[in-house]
Amino acid sequence: MLEFLNKYRNKNSDIFALRNSKSAFCYHSISKNPDFNANYHNVSISNFENHLDRVRKAGFKFLGIDEFLEAKIKGKTRSKITSITFDDGYKNVVQNAVPILERLEIPAAIFLSSQVLEGNVFWRDMVRIIIDNDWIHAFMNYLKINDSFLEKTI
C-alpha cells in the first residue's frame, strides 16, 4: 500500500488518487520489525502510523465498517470516508495496531479465521514457512509432485 500512496501523492503528501473516494484499507499484520514490509500482507508499525496520518491529512473520515458500508451503499455522503479492516486475526494486530487506533480514535474491524481459532495454522502461513525454510522440494516430494507433473499441469 505504501508504494500506492507514494505513487499518487501530491507535493503536500496527501492522497491524490483517493481524493473523492470511499475506500476501505485492509491490513493483515502489523509488526514491530521495521523490515517487515518485504511481504505485502504485512506492514511495520511506523508505516501503519504513516498510512493513517496521510489518509487523515487527505481529509478522510474514518468510520466503523457498518457505518462505512451503509454510507457507501446508500451513496448519501459526499465526504471522503474510509474504514480500516484486518484479516486473519493475527495477535500482532491486537498488540501493535489496536493501541495506535485507540490513541487516534480510529475504529477498525478485525476478521478472524476460524481455522486459527481451532488451533490450526493458516494456509498462507504454511506456505510462508515452507518457502522461508527452503522446504519446497521436500514438500513437493511429500505430495509426489515432480517436474513432469508440473509441466503437464501448468
Side-chain angles (χ1 to χ4, degrees):
M1 181 183 331
L2 186 59
E3 294 82 17
F4 175 81
L5 295 176
N6 284 331
K7 183 177 177 182
Y8 292 102
R9 69 180 180 177
N10 69 15
K11 63 183 178 184
N12 296 320
S13 296
D14 63 353
I15 301 170
F16 180 76
L18 300 177
R19 183 165 288 159
N20 296 311
S21 185
K22 293 165 183 62
S23 300
F25 291 89
C26 177
Y27 295 90
H28 289 267
S29 184
I30 308 295
S31 174
K32 290 181 181 179
N33 182 346
D35 298 325
F36 206 56
N37 293 307
N39 184 315
Y40 66 92
H41 288 289
N42 309 301
V43 178
S44 69
I45 290 173
S46 60
N47 277 343
F48 179 62
E49 289 182 303
N50 183 35
H51 294 170
L52 297 175
D53 183 56
R54 291 172 69 181
V55 170
R56 183 169 269 161
K57 284 181 179 174
F60 282 81
K61 179 181 178 184
F62 292 95
L63 302 176
I65 192 71
D66 291 337
E67 187 180 1
F68 172 78
L69 290 173
E70 184 177 339
K72 192 168 173 96
I73 290 167
K74 290 183 179 178
K76 291 185 178 180
T77 182
R78 293 181 186 241
S79 62
K80 296 185 271 186
I81 59 172
T82 190
S83 189
I84 304 294
T85 68
F86 296 91
D87 282 356
D88 309 325
Y90 287 112
K91 186 164 121 179
N92 67 17
V93 170
V94 173
Q95 294 170 329
N96 301 328
V98 169
I100 294 166
L101 295 165
E102 287 176 342
R103 178 173 43 85
L104 298 174
E105 299 180 351
I106 296 174
I110 301 174
F111 298 100
L112 304 176
S113 166
S114 61
Q115 184 176 6
V116 175
L117 293 174
E118 294 166 356
N120 300 312
V121 178
F122 191 57
W123 71 267
R124 186 175 48 245
D125 295 329
M126 282 191 245
V127 171
R128 188 176 305 137
I129 290 166
I130 290 168
I131 293 170
D132 288 350
N133 289 289
D134 200 23
W135 295 341
I136 296 170
H137 293 321
F139 182 69
M140 290 174 61
N141 287 337
Y142 171 76
L143 296 177
K144 297 180 176 34
I145 296 174
N146 57 33
D147 290 341
S148 64
F149 174 80
L150 290 176
E151 287 173 7
K152 291 177 198 172
T153 308
I154 301 174

